[in-house]
Amino acid sequence: MFWSAPAPWTTADIPPQHGRTVVVTGATSGLGLETSRALVHAGARVLLAVRDTDRGAAVAAELGGAATAHRLDLADLTSVREFAAGVEGPIDVLINNAGLMAVPQGRTADGFETQLGVNFLGHFALTGLLLDRITDRVVTLSSVAHRMGRIRLDDLNRESGRYERWSAYGQSKLACLMFAYELQHRFVAAGSTLRSMAAHPGYAATNLQSRTESFQDAVMSVLNRVVAQSGEAGALPSLYAATVPDLPGGSHIGPDGIGEARGNPRPVGSTAASHDRRMQQALWERAEELTRVAFPL
């Protein structure tokens, strides 16, 4: 008897999502759009949490009546609070998808370093503000770049020293992964049936690679055509993390190929730093201080 590899997991394997409501941040393009499209096709009601409401309305019209656009600017905690206050009814799944990568130095409306503020702190606050309405799970996107990340707890917002965009990006994505793990620890400690998952897309061709405002945009444009997998393939780990019924809380889903750059979605590992419980807890406490959001656990 010959061994054969398991069949690839695709959008055709998503269980029926009829009657379920999912919030997807950053849903107007790239991974967020492909994630939303697949969920609507599977029967879910999808709340598109978007900064550009005109673009969001166009995407909602494209996806059909099961999708609706709602304004959310993760770079502004006032907007995060307004979005959360406007969401009615239960939410089965929250997918913290939106993100920035290697952008020039900047500050959010609340004074946070832009990548940390959008990728991590905005989603941290959003999750805490929606938690009492979430019924199933939270999925937070990380990146293989978490491997180069280091949490600078005493200077999270890069207020001293030279700004290094890739270092700041790595920190933000390590923070996202540590948040997902710590949230699961807290669900377990509270006796909650909710689950926290992490996912990363590998190297997927999206407009994320076109915002560095440097020569790197041209380099990554070439890599997108030659090396990267499609946005549809890049969305599969998020969809797997969001919909596989018996997936254990605390799972981290990514591609199964070399270097986790591309391939079929499966549970993957992460760095020892991402599992540092003491730092997870300290990062959580600092995020609560910065966002002034406490989780109802």
Side-chain angles (χ1 to χ4, degrees):
M1 183 176 182
F2 293 98
W3 178 87
S4 60
W9 193 92
T10 71
T11 54
D13 297 298
I14 297 174
Q17 299 294 297
H18 302 283
R20 290 170 66 79
T21 297
V22 183
V23 173
V24 181
T25 67
T28 56
S29 64
L31 301 177
L33 174 57
E34 297 305 332
T35 299
S36 300
R37 192 193 311 280
L39 290 169
V40 167
H41 184 74
R45 170 179 173 249
V46 179
L47 277 59
L48 311 171
V50 301
R51 188 176 59 174
D52 183 340
T53 51
D54 289 339
R55 175 61 181 148
V59 169
E62 174 192 341
L63 298 183
T68 54
H70 306 264
R71 187 177 186 279
L72 171 66
D73 184 354
L74 289 161
D76 185 346
L77 291 182
T78 297
S79 175
V80 174
R81 291 182 182 279
E82 290 173 348
F83 173 85
V87 174
E88 298 179 355
I91 299 164
D92 295 281
V93 182
L94 167 62
I95 303 180
N96 291 322
N97 164 83
L100 297 172
M101 183 177 73
V103 296
Q105 185 173 18
R107 296 284 159 185
T108 69
D110 304 279
F112 307 143
E113 186 275 314
T114 303
Q115 295 185 85
L116 186 82
V118 171
N119 296 352
F120 170 52
L121 292 172
H123 282 126
F124 179 93
L126 178 66
T127 304
L129 292 167
L130 291 178
L131 196 60
D132 60 355
R133 281 158 282 174
I134 296 173
T135 65
D136 182 5
R137 68 186 81 179
V138 177
V139 178
T140 301
L141 263 70
S142 183
S143 166
V144 290
H146 87 271
R147 296 170 183 164
M148 67 179 182
R150 182 175 71 85
I151 302 298
R152 291 169 48 172
L153 199 61
D154 59 344
D155 188 24
L156 278 177
N157 286 301
R158 297 301 207 263
E159 293 172 327
S160 64
R162 180 172 173 269
Y163 177 75
E164 297 177 348
R165 65 180 73 202
W166 285 104
S167 174
Y169 178 66
Q171 175 185 245
S172 75
K173 285 301 182 178
L174 175 58
C176 288
L177 185 53
M178 296 178 82
F179 165 56
Y181 289 154
E182 178 63 12
L183 182 58
Q184 178 60 26
H185 289 310
R186 294 184 181 232
F187 284 157
V188 172
S192 172
T193 59
L194 297 178
R195 287 171 286 174
S196 173
M197 314 293 189
H200 80 80
Y203 187 0
T206 70
N207 61 5
L208 192 69
Q209 292 94 347
S210 63
R211 297 177 179 173
T212 70
E213 299 180 22
S214 73
F215 73 93
Q216 296 175 47
D217 288 345
V219 173
M220 287 189 287
S221 176
V222 173
L223 293 175
N224 277 2
R225 294 192 297 271
V226 176
V227 177
Q229 60 182 355
S230 67
E232 294 92 332
L236 289 176
S238 299
L239 291 164
Y240 188 105
T243 65
V244 170
D246 57 354
L247 190 65
S251 295
H252 180 210
I253 308 301
D256 65 359
I258 296 174
E260 298 172 19
R262 57 191 300 149
N264 302 313
R266 66 169 175 84
V268 295
S270 60
T271 61
S274 71
H275 291 286
D276 183 334
R277 289 285 289 120
R278 188 171 298 177
M279 183 60 79
Q280 287 173 4
Q281 293 163 358
L283 178 64
W284 183 287
E285 291 169 3
R286 185 70 179 121
E288 285 189 331
E289 292 172 2
L290 290 170
T291 63
R292 298 183 181 178
V293 173
F295 281 55
L297 286 172

